[in-house]
Amino acid sequence: MSAYGVLFAALVAIPLGIFIARYRKLSPWVFSLANVIQTIPALAMLAVLMLVMGLGANTVVFSLFLYSILPILRNTYTGITNVDHSMLESGRGMGMTRNQLLRMVELPLALSVILGGIRTAMVIAIGITTIGTFIGAGGLGDIIIRGTNAANGAAIIMAGAIPTAMMAIIADILLGGLEKVLSTSKKKPDVSQKAA
Amino acid sequence: MLEFNQVTKVYDGTEKAVNNLTLDIEKGEFIVFIGPSGCGKTTTMKMVNRLIETTEGSISIEGENIKNKDLVELRRTIGYVIQQIGLFPHMTIQENISLVPKLLKWPQDKRRDRAKELLKLVEMEESYLDKFPEELSGGQQQRIGVLRALAADPPLILMDEPFGALDPITRETLQMEFKQLQKSLHKTIVFVTHDMDEALKLADRVVIMKEGCVVQEGTPSHIVRNPANDFVREFIGKDRLVQNDPSNQTVEEIMNPNPVTVQEDMNLREAIKIVKANRVDTAVVVNEEKELKGFIDVDTINRYHRDNLEVGKVLKEFPIEVKKGTPLAAVIRKILVSEVKYMPVIDENKSLIGIITGASLADVVYESIWGEEEHQNGENETIGVK
């Protein structure tokens, strides 16, 4: 469930990030919109979306989608705008078209930063998915809620919370590893950290 | 091969970065644009591959206006090397070198062969092909940067301070290597730098720019011998100027242009005051039109100072006068043969324009031995020995 939300968000946010990196005047507008979405509390978001989309997993996926946009968008934008100017100049000087420049230079160089964004989004998403239980989406959240309702539910709560935390950590580690593999510009590994 | 025709570039509507530049560059020529920062040299170069568009005028390559060419095609036929090197960190050396061939859709084998061939040019081993740029030293990286520009065998290569970021020793090595390379490959090269040593070392022709205009152009030796004005002279720097070749010098260059003079119709007492005030042993006598009449010296003064005569009555004539424009070599011989102490320099109207003294000759000798720095402390060494 979490993965779907993030995936859809990536499909939208990465092209959008590339777009606003190219037309930078648009970036403040897009970012403030994404920021507004991010500030809505998860529970409120789910409640509002539930009114429109009804109960179920789709609503949760959609809200995850909305939450994931900002980190991915921001990192895509940062990644692309941070590509060294000299790279672009030598690329253009060698006669690359705008698209070749994007495909062969900008995206590969920004990839690790973009992945950093996806990683952040993924961790947030796993947390939010737990709350999805309130609108009947199932998942590990169910177990936690059952624990809170039970008379002595600490063990049950743990049974839900620990796997959730584990999932988040494992996802983070996996994506972090992927990021490292793809990161060729070892010179500035702090960029992704900062952006994330 | 490459022609600039009244090219002007205006930034922000007012500031002329390049002003009405006209220049012809021959095939195979190594042209270096040089000047202080902001003089328009980089702008000029970038207009060639249209990273910057011209505002007015035209640039043509092999007679064809670059504006009529497809932008991308144009750039693929011009090599480009920048100061920051700009190798792509996510590509191997081979991929970096053969990028333009890849854009031009050469087959893979041919690209790899070409990369190998190029590495040989700079005497680097084939094992570098699969390394990444960050595993190379700065000097090696820029060698690759140069090879990348050569990859598709473009006739014209633009270089924007390519060796500027390297340490002096590496820079020197690369300069020599590159000069050799250029000689063997016969490329036309447009090279931008602010380093005069580099320009003089590499260029077939140096173009000195200031505030968007060409101040002087010519071969390195021409510029060093005949700087067009003070700006060029200062830019070249005193220690690079060639002044130790008397055969090229004329008398004006070494004469003292402000000798102590007295008027022909002064009386001797006034003249003595002038001589005394300037602490010289000889003064040149001229009339109101500055026409040369002769000289008075200590001997004259000694003999006539009691009689208050007019200077014109007691002056002696110079045994030798030289016209301006006379080569120095001829004068030196005359002075040595005739043992005269002073030699006035006159123009066509017989007006005095300066004087050559033993000290001037001494300067010539010193300069040729030690360079220029020591001399010129004597504006008032004037005529003769103090």
Side-chain angles (χ1 to χ4, degrees):
Chain A
M1 217 176 343
S2 316
Y4 278 127
V6 174
L7 187 68
F8 289 136
L11 288 181
V12 173
I14 293 175
L16 188 63
I18 294 168
F19 184 76
I20 59 173
R22 202 174 290 183
Y23 303 96
R24 289 189 192 178
K25 277 182 194 152
L26 289 175
S27 64
W29 301 95
V30 176
F31 276 130
S32 36
L33 188 68
N35 274 325
V36 167
I37 296 174
Q38 205 73 10
T39 54
I40 303 172
L43 208 51
M45 172 85 90
L46 284 173
V48 172
L49 287 176
M50 190 185 68
L51 294 177
V52 185
M53 298 175 67
L55 294 169
N58 285 345
T59 312
V60 177
V61 169
F62 188 67
S63 75
L64 293 180
F65 164 78
L66 290 179
Y67 277 114
S68 304
I69 281 183
L70 182 72
I72 301 177
L73 184 70
R74 169 142 287 163
N75 275 34
T76 308
Y77 178 80
T78 316
I80 293 205
T81 49
N82 271 359
V83 170
D84 197 345
H85 183 78
S86 63
M87 302 291 150
L88 301 181
E89 192 181 320
S90 58
R92 280 202 294 152
M94 283 188 295
M96 287 184 172
T97 62
R98 200 69 195 76
N99 283 332
Q100 282 169 334
L101 202 59
L102 180 68
R103 215 177 56 235
M104 298 170 74
V105 181
E106 287 174 310
L107 276 184
L109 289 177
L111 194 60
S112 66
V113 185
I114 296 175
L115 264 168
I118 293 179
R119 183 175 155 198
T120 315
M122 196 69 204
V123 174
I124 297 175
I126 291 172
I128 293 173
T129 313
T130 0
I131 303 174
T133 178
F134 286 117
I135 57 167
L140 287 170
D142 277 357
I143 303 170
I144 299 175
I145 294 294
R146 203 177 308 149
T148 55
N149 292 339
N152 199 354
I156 308 175
I157 295 176
M158 285 301 168
I162 291 173
T164 308
M166 290 304 285
M167 261 175 73
I169 292 169
I170 290 168
D172 192 48
I173 291 171
L174 283 181
L175 285 169
L178 187 62
E179 194 182 314
K180 207 172 249 172
V181 169
L182 289 170
S183 160
T184 43
S185 55
K186 288 164 199 154
K187 280 173 281 177
K188 27 182 181 177
D190 53 326
V191 175
S192 58
Q193 236 95 90
K194 229 187 295 162
Chain B
M1 155 90 203
L2 178 62
E3 283 167 42
F4 293 83
N5 192 7
Q6 302 188 320
V7 172
T8 297
K9 174 69 194 179
V10 183
Y11 284 123
D12 304 328
T14 49
E15 197 193 334
K16 280 191 174 172
V18 175
N19 193 358
N20 202 12
L21 179 114
T22 300
L23 193 68
D24 272 6
I25 296 171
E26 300 288 319
K27 199 169 173 56
E29 201 172 12
F30 198 134
I31 289 273
V32 175
F33 284 97
I34 188 166
S37 50
C39 69
K41 56 190 193 293
T42 302
T43 305
T44 305
M45 193 201 69
K46 287 187 181 173
M47 284 192 292
V48 176
N49 64 0
R50 288 174 64 193
L51 284 172
I52 296 174
E53 295 283 354
T54 53
T55 311
E56 277 168 48
S58 64
I59 299 174
S60 34
I61 296 178
E62 310 268 15
E64 193 185 349
N65 190 333
I66 55 168
K67 285 226 163 136
N68 302 334
K69 286 192 182 179
D70 178 66
L71 187 61
V72 166
E73 293 293 311
L74 173 78
R75 289 180 185 160
R76 286 177 190 173
T77 55
I78 299 176
Y80 188 46
V81 185
I82 60 176
Q83 182 183 359
Q84 305 86 343
I85 304 177
L87 294 181
F88 299 121
H90 59 291
M91 295 183 188
T92 62
I93 298 305
Q94 192 233 315
E95 286 170 318
N96 266 296
I97 294 179
S98 49
L99 198 74
V100 179
K102 188 177 175 190
L103 296 175
L104 292 169
K105 303 202 166 58
W106 289 16
Q108 183 119 37
D109 309 350
K110 194 176 163 197
R111 294 205 307 254
R112 187 153 182 108
D113 290 346
R114 178 66 179 154
K116 279 182 197 165
E117 189 185 321
L118 286 166
L119 270 185
K120 259 182 222 135
L121 283 181
V122 293
E123 284 163 15
M124 282 169 75
E125 288 163 29
E126 272 181 27
S127 60
Y128 281 106
L129 282 179
D130 297 313
K131 289 194 176 170
F132 284 93
E134 62 182 22
E135 299 171 67
L136 271 59
S137 70
Q140 288 173 325
Q141 287 189 20
Q142 191 57 296
R143 283 189 185 96
I144 303 298
V146 171
L147 295 185
R148 180 172 66 173
L150 291 168
D153 209 12
L156 174 65
I157 295 174
L158 308 178
M159 306 183 92
D160 187 1
E161 299 196 27
F163 308 135
L166 303 172
D167 66 87
I169 295 170
T170 315
R171 191 186 311 150
E172 195 121 324
T173 320
L174 258 74
Q175 284 166 352
M176 297 326 289
E177 268 182 35
F178 185 65
K179 183 74 188 169
Q180 287 303 319
L181 207 58
Q182 195 263 345
K183 271 183 191 158
S184 59
L185 298 174
H186 301 293
K187 301 286 180 193
T188 308
I189 289 169
V190 177
F191 190 105
V192 166
T193 183
H194 59 254
D195 176 354
M196 198 32 117
D197 283 324
E198 184 167 77
L200 296 177
K201 207 179 295 171
L202 296 176
D204 292 330
R205 186 146 58 111
V206 179
V207 178
I208 301 177
M209 291 183 72
K210 184 194 178 192
E211 287 159 14
C213 300
V214 174
V215 185
Q216 190 177 10
E217 56 158 295
T219 61
S221 67
H222 175 82
I223 286 186
V224 168
R225 274 164 215 276
N226 310 296
N229 56 28
D230 286 344
F231 170 76
V232 176
R233 210 165 291 134
E234 194 168 309
F235 200 72
I236 294 173
K238 278 184 177 165
D239 43 338
R240 295 194 198 91
L241 283 168
V242 174
Q243 67 275 77
N244 54 0
D245 189 355
S247 62
N248 280 354
Q249 280 180 302
T250 57
V251 286
E252 288 104 294
E253 285 172 61
I254 67 151
M255 72 183 184
N256 171 4
N258 300 302
V260 175
T261 58
V262 294
Q263 292 292 325
E264 180 183 33
D265 54 4
M266 272 179 189
N267 63 44
L268 198 55
R269 219 160 263 163
E270 281 174 78
I272 291 171
K273 267 186 212 157
I274 295 175
V275 171
K276 211 175 151 192
N278 287 290
R279 303 186 60 214
V280 292
D281 64 355
T282 307
V284 185
V285 181
V286 294
N287 69 8
E288 274 146 39
E289 282 89 45
K290 278 203 85 185
E291 194 180 309
L292 178 71
K293 288 295 171 189
F295 69 98
I296 54 171
D297 61 8
V298 184
D299 181 41
T300 330
I301 293 168
N302 201 21
R303 211 180 300 167
Y304 299 105
H305 74 279
R306 282 174 220 283
D307 327 312
N308 197 8
L309 293 170
E310 254 183 41
V311 171
K313 297 259 167 57
V314 299
L315 62 80
K316 299 179 199 167
E317 284 190 16
F318 282 103
I320 305 173
E321 300 159 0
V322 290
K323 294 240 164 60
K324 72 169 185 181
T326 312
L328 196 53
V331 177
I332 291 175
R333 193 169 319 121
K334 274 188 197 169
I335 291 185
L336 293 177
V337 170
S338 64
E339 292 182 342
V340 292
K341 272 162 86 183
Y342 311 116
M343 203 179 276
V345 182
I346 53 176
D347 65 11
E348 306 79 35
N349 305 321
K350 247 197 140 216
S351 295
L352 178 73
I353 55 171
I355 191 126
I356 293 173
T357 67
S360 330
L361 287 180
D363 286 340
V364 176
V365 177
Y366 293 147
E367 273 169 33
S368 64
I369 302 172
W370 291 294
E372 204 179 6
E373 73 244 54
E374 295 294 333
H375 122 103
Q376 303 230 330
N377 52 352
E379 273 300 309
N380 58 350
E381 109 205 26
T382 60
I383 185 161
V385 189
K386 284 177 200 172

